[in-house]
Amino acid sequence: MDNEALQRWVERVSTEAFGLAFKHKATFNARLRTTGGRYFTKSHHIEINPHQLASFGVEETEKIIKHELCHYHLHLQGRGYQHRDQEFKELLSQVGGSRYCQSLPGTATERRRLPYRYMLICKACGQQYKRKRKTDPRKYACGRCRGKLLLKELDSAE
């Protein structure tokens, strides 16, 4: 899909879901990594992450478009268009837009959700500290009793 097809898609979704015309520019931006799209308050343009379309399909991408159109239409009407505003939340719910986009494979957001692979265990009191990354137990002490720590590698996700 190219930018012209995206432009037509955004215009169609705007008319069908909001009953209002989208009169600005919608483009793909492949440099977006941690977000599905963004709305620019100065130019009123919308950018959509093409990786979301490739990874999760048309349905999820349309929810992202609706999310960005909520920002667009509320901002142009002078109403609360930010994520924290109640008007934004209500309109997003009415049109069926997504509050958050799914994490793309290989991104930092996805890496944060990796299971714990290591555990530091205090030799004195038994306090346990789960870790996603391997750490040197000699550099740290127990936060509870200041005892020495032992590093244990976990077999499966806990």
Side-chain angles (χ1 to χ4, degrees), residues 44-93:
H44 308 295
H45 296 326
I46 289 176
E47 289 184 344
I48 301 295
N49 187 339
H51 304 298
Q52 288 286 331
L53 178 60
S55 297
F56 304 112
V58 173
E59 193 173 312
E60 285 300 314
T61 307
E62 189 159 310
K63 290 178 183 178
I64 293 168
I65 290 171
K66 287 178 180 178
H67 177 106
E68 300 310 325
L69 284 170
C70 284
H71 289 301
Y72 173 80
H73 290 300
L74 289 170
H75 183 248
L76 290 179
Q77 293 170 10
R79 295 164 57 198
Y81 66 93
Q82 295 179 334
H83 291 124
R84 65 175 179 247
D85 295 324
Q86 192 61 37
E87 289 177 302
F88 176 81
K89 292 175 186 176
E90 289 170 2
L91 183 59
L92 191 64
S93 177

Side-chain angles (χ1 to χ4, degrees), residues 122-151:
C122 177
K123 292 178 181 178
C125 70
Q127 174 71 28
Q128 297 179 349
Y129 303 94
K130 291 182 178 180
R131 294 290 176 260
K132 295 179 183 182
R133 293 184 180 183
K134 192 172 186 175
T135 55
D136 184 0
R138 295 172 297 179
K139 291 184 178 180
Y140 302 97
C142 176
R144 184 191 287 173
C145 71
R146 309 303 302 154
K148 291 185 181 275
L149 298 174
L150 172 74
L151 180 68

Side-chain angles (χ1 to χ4, degrees), residues 105-122:
T107 60
T109 317
E110 187 196 56
R111 283 194 300 273
R112 273 187 235 122
R113 292 190 177 93
L114 289 175
Y116 295 108
R117 295 181 54 203
Y118 303 96
M119 186 170 308
L120 292 168
I121 303 168
C122 177

